[in-house]
Amino acid sequence: MAAMNPQTELRVRTLSIHVVTWNVASAAPPPDLSDLLQLNNLNLNLDVYVIGLQEMNCGIMSLLSDTAFEDPWSSFFMDVLSPLSFVKGNKGGVNIFLKFYGYYVSIINCHLPPHMANNDQRLEHFDRILEMQNFEAQDIPNILDHDLVLWFGDMNFRIEDFGLHFVRESIKNQCYSDLWEKDQLSIAKRHDPLLREFQEGPLLFPPTYKFDKNSNNYDTSEKKRKPAWTDRILWRLKRQPQATIHTPTLSAPHFTLFLRSYVSHMLYSISDHKPVTSTFDLELKPLVSAPLITLLPESLCTEESDLLISYSLTADFLSSPWDWIGLYKVGLRHINDYVSYVWVRDNQVSFSDGLNQVYIDISDIPETEDQFLLFYYSNNLHSVVGISKPFKIQPRSFLAEGPLDEAQPQI
């Protein structure tokens, strides 16, 4: 994105981020996830959901159905969130890289090796995951130079030394402080300089593993596994250079993360793990003054059988012949839910300094009173880089009869 003029002062923005981690143990979604997603909390106005699941059903029938259909968990979450204008992006895998107002953010969902004796393996995997995070684009920094790393998942760290009876009695009496001292992740953070840079909220909730399914009872099987805080949410803010006698202090950009809550959700019992959520407020002062692409629905007009779309782009945006603009109905669930799309080069009508026009065949647009959105997808960045405001398109019968200047969409 284009850097703003240093003299330009942009106001501080606050983004509310809700992070969910849950080992669902191959179970199907429960009937209601309102508590998990904090949908009934009227004091929250969330901007971003980050949802990481582990042990989703990976049977052969599930793999075959996932090839043709959306998996049931994604479908269930989007049934709830798409009416609230949240969109599921096209990213997948362990690491998601985002850019918020010019800041670099990485999101990592992990599932580390289980069992008490495999603590060294867990720590090795932690380091290896960090080492393997390489990005294709040349201008993306190393993950440890990102402004924020959110790392969560079933990390499988256990409680050492104490016996099963002591741990259960401590949990029953809500005396967690002794257990914290023997938590393997807490111990590792005291000795590993890199791991120490990752912060975590206080563990004021009971250990989240292992429960009998469909109950709030800890493991009553023959194995009687010792409870542990296996499901964790960590974060790391980029370190700022330390001032010395030879280097004056530089004013760091305003970029601060505040933890609002860190809780487990005992209400859900479909798995042997309880889900854990964190809600953050991310305060930042934007480093950019404009998006890479600005779509201008107010400039939409019709010309014979085409709908013309105007958009502007920043001077340093590198377009590709494979970039495209999609037309969507408001309430879409996924980037693939377009009504129609056009390749920006193939369908280009005109261009000038920073302003371009492309066309969509009007016959590809349904006659409806629904509201629409335009998305610009960058092939180079593998991401949506511009979204329009909602707008309406007049019915074609009206467009055919009315003068051209009355064919503007109703914003």
Side-chain angles (χ1 to χ4, degrees):
M1 290 187 175
M4 70 175 183
N5 187 317
Q7 304 301 320
T8 303
E9 288 294 330
L10 295 179
R11 64 183 179 85
V12 173
R13 294 178 179 268
T14 300
L15 296 174
S16 293
I17 303 172
H18 190 65
V19 181
V20 177
T21 181
W22 194 2
N23 183 322
V24 297
S26 300
D32 184 11
L33 289 173
S34 298
D35 180 70
L36 187 69
L37 300 176
Q38 294 291 284
L39 298 179
N40 299 326
N41 189 339
L42 301 180
N43 296 320
L44 280 181
N45 185 19
L46 295 171
D47 298 294
V48 179
Y49 279 95
V50 179
I51 301 172
L53 305 179
Q54 303 87 41
E55 289 192 22
M56 293 172 63
N57 190 353
C58 292
I60 184 63
M61 292 306 296
S62 176
L63 291 174
L64 289 173
S65 64
D66 286 351
T67 303
F69 308 103
E70 192 172 43
D71 69 87
W73 279 95
S74 295
S75 180
F76 190 88
F77 277 118
M78 291 316 301
D79 284 343
V80 176
L81 296 177
S82 60
L84 303 177
S85 298
F86 288 94
V87 178
K88 175 176 173 284
N90 68 326
K91 301 294 190 296
V94 172
N95 190 355
I96 295 175
F97 159 70
L98 302 173
K99 207 170 184 182
F100 287 163
Y101 297 98
Y103 295 92
Y104 292 92
V105 175
S106 268
I107 298 168
I108 301 175
N109 174 21
C110 74
H111 190 179
L112 302 182
H115 307 309
M116 177 72 73
N118 289 331
N119 191 44
D120 288 343
Q121 285 188 31
R122 284 188 279 276
L123 297 175
E124 289 174 8
H125 282 219
F126 194 95
D127 291 338
R128 193 181 309 162
I129 290 171
L130 278 178
E131 293 170 0
M132 293 175 65
Q133 302 312 309
N134 298 316
F135 300 96
E136 295 178 3
Q138 296 289 333
D139 60 341
I140 299 179
N142 180 277
I143 189 172
L144 293 179
D145 290 320
H146 287 191
D147 298 283
L148 171 65
V149 178
L150 286 171
W151 193 323
F152 53 88
D154 179 0
M155 298 189 178
N156 261 319
F157 290 105
R158 307 304 170 99
I159 296 172
E160 295 184 344
D161 297 340
F162 296 131
L164 175 63
H165 179 74
F166 180 84
V167 172
R168 288 194 173 183
E169 282 299 306
S170 298
I171 296 170
K172 180 180 178 181
N173 297 318
Q174 298 186 3
C175 296
Y176 301 134
S177 56
D178 288 335
L179 305 184
W180 297 337
E181 293 299 314
K182 297 299 181 179
D183 169 66
Q184 289 178 331
L185 178 56
S186 301
I187 295 171
K189 284 171 60 65
R190 293 197 290 268
H191 297 95
D192 188 300
L194 179 57
L195 195 53
R196 194 181 304 141
E197 295 179 5
F198 285 85
Q199 301 179 61
E200 183 181 17
L203 295 169
L204 301 179
F205 49 87
T208 54
Y209 174 85
K210 174 182 172 64
F211 289 87
D212 293 336
K213 289 187 179 182
N214 302 310
S215 81
N216 286 330
N217 301 320
Y218 285 104
D219 186 16
T220 59
S221 70
E222 292 183 3
K223 294 183 178 180
K224 288 187 171 59
R225 291 181 179 86
K226 189 165 56 175
W229 286 288
T230 57
D231 309 279
R232 314 290 278 266
I233 299 174
L234 311 177
W235 74 92
R236 178 187 183 273
L237 291 171
K238 181 180 177 181
R239 289 181 297 174
Q240 298 299 330
Q242 297 295 318
T244 68
I245 192 171
H246 301 293
T247 59
T249 303
L250 300 176
S251 56
H254 187 104
F255 189 88
T256 311
L257 195 72
F258 299 97
L259 178 66
R260 295 182 60 173
S261 71
Y262 187 34
V263 296
S264 65
H265 297 260
M266 297 292 289
L267 174 65
Y268 301 103
S269 57
I270 61 170
S271 169
D272 53 355
H273 291 250
K274 298 298 181 183
V276 173
T277 64
S278 283
T279 304
F280 299 94
D281 281 340
L282 176 61
E283 288 189 358
L284 55 87
K285 182 175 288 187
L287 298 178
V288 294
S289 57
L292 292 173
I293 298 290
T294 302
L295 292 150
L296 307 170
E298 64 272 12
S299 299
L300 281 172
C301 62
T302 57
E303 187 175 283
E304 297 180 354
S305 62
D306 297 329
L307 185 70
L308 298 182
I309 300 168
S310 299
Y311 66 95
S312 62
L313 62 164
T314 57
D316 59 345
F317 175 69
L318 183 62
S319 63
S320 160
W322 300 106
D323 289 358
W324 52 273
I325 294 175
L327 179 70
Y328 297 83
K329 289 183 180 180
V330 170
L332 72 150
R333 297 157 55 98
H334 190 276
I335 189 66
N336 292 333
D337 293 343
Y338 50 79
V339 174
S340 181
Y341 70 92
V342 293
W343 302 105
V344 294
R345 298 283 179 87
D346 291 350
N347 293 59
Q348 192 171 61
V349 177
S350 64
F351 65 93
S352 58
D353 292 337
L355 188 64
N356 296 263
Q357 275 192 327
V358 295
Y359 69 90
I360 296 179
D361 192 314
I362 199 72
S363 63
D364 293 332
I365 300 172
E367 285 197 62
T368 174
E369 289 297 317
D370 291 323
Q371 286 196 316
F372 292 89
L373 293 167
L374 294 169
F375 282 24
Y376 187 108
Y377 184 87
S378 166
N379 185 66
N380 290 331
L381 297 177
H382 306 292
S383 178
V384 172
V385 294
I387 303 177
S388 76
K389 295 178 180 178
F391 61 92
K392 284 187 177 181
I393 300 175
Q394 294 284 7
R396 283 198 290 277
S397 57
F398 177 83
L399 295 175
E401 298 171 4
L404 184 62
D405 60 354
E406 294 182 7
Q408 303 295 322
Q410 300 298 309
I411 305 300

